[in-house]
Amino acid sequence: MLSFTGCTYGLTEAESEELRIMRENTNHWKVKKINSTEQRVGGFCPLTPKEMGIFLESLGYPPITTIYIASGEIYGGEARLSELKSRFPNIISKEALATAEELEPFANHGSQTAALDYIISIESNVFVPSHSGNMARAVEGHRRFLGHRRTINPDRKGLVELFDKLESGKLKLGSSFSRLVQEMHKNRQGAPRKRNGPLPGIKGRARLRTEESFYENPFPECICRSKKAF
């Protein structure tokens, strides 16, 4: 995902080069030259483990919160994940929940192991995607369909501005920073809302690309109202 999006923030030069080579050698990825800084500032990069830790902490989640990592291998491994674990030590994965024997039938089937993550994401108390990929959008839509279960959709563009101010010293972690994060996300927690339509003035197939995905938000077409609402 990092290679595809061209996001290298927080990585070493060697890691960034490894991702560039991977992108160059993947023929079906059409875009090869990507400005990582522009991607991040535009909100198109996944939040790093460190940024996710700061984000969740600012939303008010206590250190004892159990967090399930719904993904494959984390780029950078435990060293990268440690920046999240320092704030939330109760980090678990499918490898921690299931035995090696239970996971063995899924070993060579990436879509099936992703399905395990999908099921747990659907059933979790809260779902917080670090990146708006296809799976994250599908999970969000499914959770809406099941009764608008709490799904916090990070405003990555807004958060990057806050994180950069932290780095420069213009802001400090604390109650004031937490209020900024909470205010930014008070309307991004999965409450019912109609799906966003295409941008005005756009015609033809281009309209479809500007319309919010049905899989991300099936309301109102695919969510029935109770009889009390009529």
Side-chain angles (χ1 to χ4, degrees), residues 53-135:
I54 295 173
F55 176 54
L56 294 174
E57 186 178 67
S58 298
L59 288 177
Y61 287 99
I64 61 171
T65 303
T66 300
I67 298 177
Y68 177 84
I69 304 295
S71 76
E73 182 181 356
I74 301 295
Y75 190 71
E78 285 297 314
R80 196 80 68 206
L81 201 56
S82 66
E83 296 176 312
L84 173 61
K85 283 186 174 181
S86 65
R87 288 181 166 82
F88 297 94
N90 296 327
I91 302 292
I92 58 174
S93 63
K94 50 185 170 291
E95 289 78 12
L97 294 177
T99 65
E101 291 75 18
E102 290 172 325
L103 291 175
E104 196 278 331
F106 305 97
N108 298 316
H109 305 281
S111 60
Q112 292 183 14
T113 55
L116 296 177
D117 288 333
Y118 184 93
I119 291 169
I120 294 175
S121 297
I122 292 297
E123 297 298 332
S124 65
N125 299 105
V126 183
F127 176 65
V128 187
S130 64
H131 181 56
S132 184
N134 290 333
M135 177 172 164

Side-chain angles (χ1 to χ4, degrees), residues 9 40 48 50-58 87 158-178 180-181:
Y9 176 76
R40 181 171 178 270
T48 67
K50 179 181 178 180
E51 290 171 340
M52 282 297 292
I54 295 173
F55 176 54
L56 294 174
E57 186 178 67
S58 298
R87 288 181 166 82
L159 285 172
V160 163
E161 293 183 16
L162 295 182
F163 293 147
D164 285 348
K165 288 180 180 179
L166 278 179
E167 290 290 329
S168 66
K170 293 180 180 179
L171 287 175
K172 293 183 179 180
L173 289 176
S175 57
S176 296
F177 184 86
S178 294
L180 290 174
V181 173

